[in-house]
Amino acid sequence: AALIDPYLSALGSAMLYLSFAVGCISAPSAVRRLGSKNSLVLGTFAFVIYIAAYVLPSALTLCLSATVAGFTGAMLWTAQGAYFTQNAIMYCRASTSDITERQAINQFAAFFAAIFPFGIAIMKIGTSVIIMTVTEENTVLYSLLTICALAAMLGMCLVDDLEARAL
């Protein structure tokens, strides 16, 4: 049995990616205004709301949360790129080796490109294990995923505010 009505799931995904694509237009200026850290926290918080909408899904809650998560998701991706670029430049300047800023940025991008899909794989495996061994109920599964997303958002609150430090 499907965990979520396929129509609702497709509708949520469509709204998420449509608003993400449109949000990419304004994301750079929004991140400049809010700063990288605030954009990371806001984007992650919107995904907490989006995942929570799957606990008791309806067309209204999924469309609204997916639209907000899509727009702020564009900010999240823009901010993470800016944030790791700022960190790479700071690393380069603090390093005693002769690494260039471009090399440092490439190295940080490679770390992100390795870590991000690994995290996705771990969550997919964990979700599969929960579905196969614990429950097929939306409420339990998406409540657990919401708690994980909330923990990630709280972790984003601990990220150093590089723009504030530079002032």
Side-chain angles (χ1 to χ4, degrees):
L3 289 171
I4 298 289
D5 175 1
Y7 170 78
L8 285 178
S9 185
L11 184 63
S13 291
M15 294 305 295
L16 178 73
Y17 288 106
L18 178 64
S19 59
F20 179 84
V22 173
C24 285
I25 297 166
S26 62
S29 61
V31 171
R32 269 193 304 277
R33 267 186 265 118
L34 293 173
S36 295
K37 178 181 178 170
N38 291 336
S39 298
L40 289 168
V41 172
L42 179 63
T44 309
F45 178 71
F47 276 94
V48 171
I49 302 302
Y50 175 61
I51 294 167
Y54 279 90
V55 173
L56 295 170
S58 72
L60 179 64
T61 60
L62 285 179
C63 283
L64 289 176
S65 64
T67 301
V68 172
F71 280 112
T72 59
M75 291 171 43
L76 177 68
W77 278 98
T78 302
Q80 70 82 20
Y83 193 82
F84 84 64
T85 299
Q86 291 168 325
N87 273 286
I89 291 169
M90 288 171 47
Y91 169 77
C92 176
R93 292 178 182 163
S95 177
T96 57
S97 67
D98 58 349
I99 189 170
T100 66
E101 285 185 359
R102 179 182 213 117
Q103 289 170 327
I105 292 167
N106 288 341
Q107 186 175 3
F108 275 56
F111 289 150
F112 177 79
I115 293 168
F116 183 71
F118 180 73
I120 290 174
I122 295 297
M123 289 304 293
K124 287 184 181 257
I125 291 168
T127 300
S128 296
V129 168
I130 291 169
I131 291 170
M132 291 185 310
T133 61
V134 179
T135 183
E136 288 189 9
E137 280 296 312
N138 295 345
T139 307
V140 173
L141 176 63
Y142 286 102
S143 294
L144 291 171
L145 291 173
T146 300
I147 290 167
C148 290
L150 185 59
M153 194 248 352
L154 293 173
M156 284 297 179
C157 293
L158 301 175
V159 166
D160 196 12
D161 190 345
L162 299 179
E163 286 101 352
R165 183 197 293 187
L167 296 177

